[in-house]
Amino acid sequence: MLRIARVSLAFAFLACASVHADDWRVDGVERVVAMADVHGAFEAMVDTLQEAGVIDEQLAWSGAATHLVIVGDILDRGPRSRDAMDLLMRLEGEALTAGGAVHVVIGNHESMNLIGDLRYVSKSEYAAFAADETEAERQRWFEAYVERYASSASGAVLFDKFEQQFPAGFFALRQAFRPDGQYGKWLLSKPAIVVVNGTAFVHGGLSPLVERYGLEGVNGRLKSELVAYVEALQILTDAEVLLPTDAHYDTQTVLNAYMPALDEKPAVLDAIATANRLFDSELFDSEGPLWYRGSVSCGELIEEHRLDGALAAIGANRVVVGHTPTPTRSVLERFDGRLIEIDTGMLNFYYKGSGNALVLEGDSVLVVNQSGLTPVPPRPHPRLVGSRPGMMSTEELQELLEQGEILTQQQDESGRIIVTVSDGRRKVSAIHAKRTSRGFYPSVAAYRLDRLLELDMVPVTVVRKVGGADGSLQFLADKRSNEMLRSASGRGVGASCSLPDQWSAMYVFDVLIYNEGRTTQRMLYDPASWRLMLIEHDRAFARKKGRPKHLKTLSLEITDGWRRALVGLTDEVLAESLSDVLDSRRLRALQQRRDELLASAPRTARR
């Protein structure tokens, strides 16, 4: 029997036409189908839903008691976003009649359209609203636009600019996404997170913010901020304090420059205050559930304890996310299946992926593809420290470095010996470090320790003789930057795994291995993601306790994740993994530093 735990809603505006759509937590569902990031790919969406047995050839609901979950980002980039929304709105009622349900979780692109951030709306999406737009409406807003900018250009220039930037359908789309509009009203009724049978569904991810607010806080307080902000924008647009043509990121500039009349309506003054206050709502933040990428982008050591904390806070045992296209364009899982990634780049012309639906039925977890391929389980999330040709797995790359043919050797400007290794089909670059003492391969030890910790920062490194010289080969990604170049350019600030988090983990790692050789040249980044790659550890693993001089006064952040990882580094595990690349004295010193870090860890670490 279906058991629905209803949550008392604190805000009347969250009421929705469908009884199921208001439910943040649902139990007893026999079958769940989930898909994410349609982005206007209507045909792929339909094919996928049909393959999942949710709709028939006439696009009518055929899923019986199935619960369909759309994990955000129906909109933007693709041509048929409106058709996708219309279908889902109709299916809500049909599913309910059949004993099933449709749950739509808002994503960052729904939020963007609601607040007027239209950077990713395609021409086709505007065109879908052109028939709804009256000439009188366009004329009204053109006149307001000219009045705003008359001093900066001639009428003819402004007309050309207006027609170019605001094509037919622009104002009808803005109208439809107002809080009283057809799609705005619908989307504002949707939660940021739903939990079905103990599985949470959220667009971006479960950040520490979710742990702090809990399910009710996110869907109540934070969602209320979105509603209040959008309602304030409507009041200000009706009063022509703001124009539909104003870009979202200009909102505060326009409001700060506005000089209200002495008899300005109180509602307008309140709306200005509300819009200014909520412009930077945590719901819009990169740490908010609509935007967060840390769950899929950070190493497990950094992220796993955060995920567990957030899951506990919302009463779930796993989470399904979209937002970040998977590198393999297939459904992936991490953290022993506690996180499943289902954004597979459905909008093929943009993301080069296909439609996939996650089907949860009993203990079965399978993926259905739009092409009717045999359903398969989610694949493990690959360890990708540095981009490599053909999306080689870690094991394939390791084998290539160990057994591939050495094609070239050359010294770079910093004195490194760079070799090219090939297996006949693929070739990669690697750093060759000569062995300096018997049985000591520090870069290999750093890599293996990284794997034990699940830090995911040290590139694949193997023992390998090159040109008769014993030593190691460490993978060197062709696409890379270093910390000196990154800091000079100011790039990487919006990294999907925040740079401070990565640096914090690096400092603890360098203390653990007593690394005296960390320089900006040995801190590399993948420019596509700004994931940190730590290379060259020839000055690590000293036979000492304590810390290297440059790290003695640094305040280390020993998180719950670090505590777990260090506890797992038992003497037996370290000996089994490292005794062939570290001598006994270095191994004992490593064990002592592990114990020192554990002793310094606060009992309420968390973070």
Side-chain angles (χ1 to χ4, degrees), residues 34-111:
M35 65 191 321
D37 295 81
V38 175
H39 283 300
F42 180 71
E43 293 87 352
M45 170 187 170
V46 166
D47 289 344
T48 308
L49 291 176
Q50 288 175 338
E51 289 296 333
V54 172
I55 60 174
D56 60 22
E57 291 185 1
Q58 286 71 47
L59 309 191
W61 181 263
S62 61
T66 295
H67 279 226
L68 171 64
V69 185
I70 304 297
V71 192
D73 278 11
I74 307 164
L75 309 173
D76 288 348
R77 291 199 171 101
R80 299 186 64 182
S81 299
R82 188 174 190 180
D83 289 338
M85 288 189 293
D86 287 343
L87 175 60
L88 291 171
M89 292 170 77
R90 174 170 60 78
L91 290 178
E92 283 182 332
E94 294 179 10
L96 187 61
T97 300
V102 175
H103 306 272
V104 174
V105 173
I106 61 170
N108 61 302
H109 283 270
E110 281 74 44
S111 167

Side-chain angles (χ1 to χ4, degrees), residues 31-332:
R31 186 172 186 263
V32 180
V33 173
M35 65 191 321
D37 295 81
V38 175
H39 283 300
F42 180 71
E43 293 87 352
M45 170 187 170
V46 166
D47 289 344
T48 308
L49 291 176
Q50 288 175 338
E51 289 296 333
V54 172
I55 60 174
D56 60 22
E57 291 185 1
Q58 286 71 47
L59 309 191
W61 181 263
S62 61
T66 295
H67 279 226
L68 171 64
V69 185
I70 304 297
V71 192
D73 278 11
I74 307 164
L75 309 173
D76 288 348
R77 291 199 171 101
R80 299 186 64 182
S81 299
R82 188 174 190 180
D83 289 338
M85 288 189 293
D86 287 343
L87 175 60
L88 291 171
M89 292 170 77
R90 174 170 60 78
L91 290 178
E92 283 182 332
E94 294 179 10
L96 187 61
T97 300
V102 175
H103 306 272
V104 174
V105 173
I106 61 170
N108 61 302
H109 283 270
E110 281 74 44
S111 167
M112 291 167 74
N113 275 261
L114 289 166
I115 66 178
D117 185 352
L118 309 179
R119 288 173 291 164
Y120 303 105
V121 178
S122 69
K123 292 180 180 179
S124 297
E125 288 176 295
Y126 287 130
F129 288 86
D132 299 339
E133 190 170 275
T134 65
E135 187 56 38
E137 186 177 22
R138 286 190 67 81
Q139 184 62 30
R140 173 196 173 184
W141 294 118
F142 174 65
E143 291 173 359
Y145 180 79
V146 170
E147 184 177 352
R148 169 81 65 81
Y149 298 107
S151 62
S152 62
S154 67
V157 170
L158 288 175
F159 178 78
D160 290 342
K161 188 175 180 181
F162 182 86
E163 290 295 307
Q164 182 179 8
Q165 292 187 349
F166 314 111
F170 176 91
F171 297 102
L173 180 145
R174 293 304 312 270
Q175 183 76 19
F177 282 92
R178 285 164 53 109
D180 58 355
Q182 178 184 5
Y183 302 111
K185 183 177 181 180
W186 180 65
L187 290 172
L188 285 173
S189 72
K190 305 306 177 188
I193 305 172
V194 295
V195 181
V196 182
N197 291 351
T199 297
F201 297 86
V202 62
H203 179 65
L206 298 182
S207 67
L209 181 148
V210 174
E211 180 180 5
R212 190 166 78 246
Y213 279 100
L215 186 63
E216 287 72 22
V218 170
N219 286 339
R221 174 179 167 180
L222 289 187
K223 256 303 299 296
S224 75
E225 291 184 356
L226 172 63
V227 176
Y229 183 70
V230 174
E231 289 180 340
L233 295 183
Q234 175 175 310
I235 292 170
L236 296 173
T237 303
D238 288 344
E240 296 191 17
V241 175
L242 292 173
L243 306 181
T245 54
D246 289 329
H248 165 67
Y249 289 101
D250 293 334
T251 297
Q252 287 190 306
T253 300
V254 173
L255 294 182
N256 290 337
Y258 179 69
M259 298 294 292
L262 293 176
D263 61 347
E264 186 67 87
K265 294 180 179 178
V268 172
L269 296 177
D270 289 343
I272 291 173
T274 297
N276 278 323
R277 177 173 58 86
L278 297 179
F279 182 83
D280 293 318
S281 168
E282 288 179 297
L283 192 66
F284 310 145
D285 190 82
S286 61
E287 295 292 306
L290 308 187
W291 289 88
Y292 189 64
R293 297 186 195 271
S295 300
V296 301
S297 299
C298 290
E300 294 198 11
L301 184 147
I302 293 175
E303 197 63 27
E304 185 171 19
H305 68 286
R306 293 176 175 172
L307 176 68
D308 289 345
L311 285 171
I314 63 173
N317 50 47
R318 69 181 165 195
V319 62
V320 175
V321 302
H323 189 45
T324 305
T326 61
T328 60
R329 298 300 188 262
S330 56
V331 173
L332 303 177

Side-chain angles (χ1 to χ4, degrees), residues 383 397-398 401-402 431 441-448 458-463 472-475 534-537:
R383 180 187 188 274
L397 180 55
Q398 186 167 318
L401 292 177
E402 289 174 337
I431 302 169
Y441 300 87
S443 289
V444 179
Y447 168 64
R448 292 185 187 176
V458 180
V460 173
T461 314
V462 302
V463 175
S472 63
L473 279 184
Q474 183 166 74
F475 171 63
L534 305 178
I535 63 168
E536 296 185 286
H537 295 90

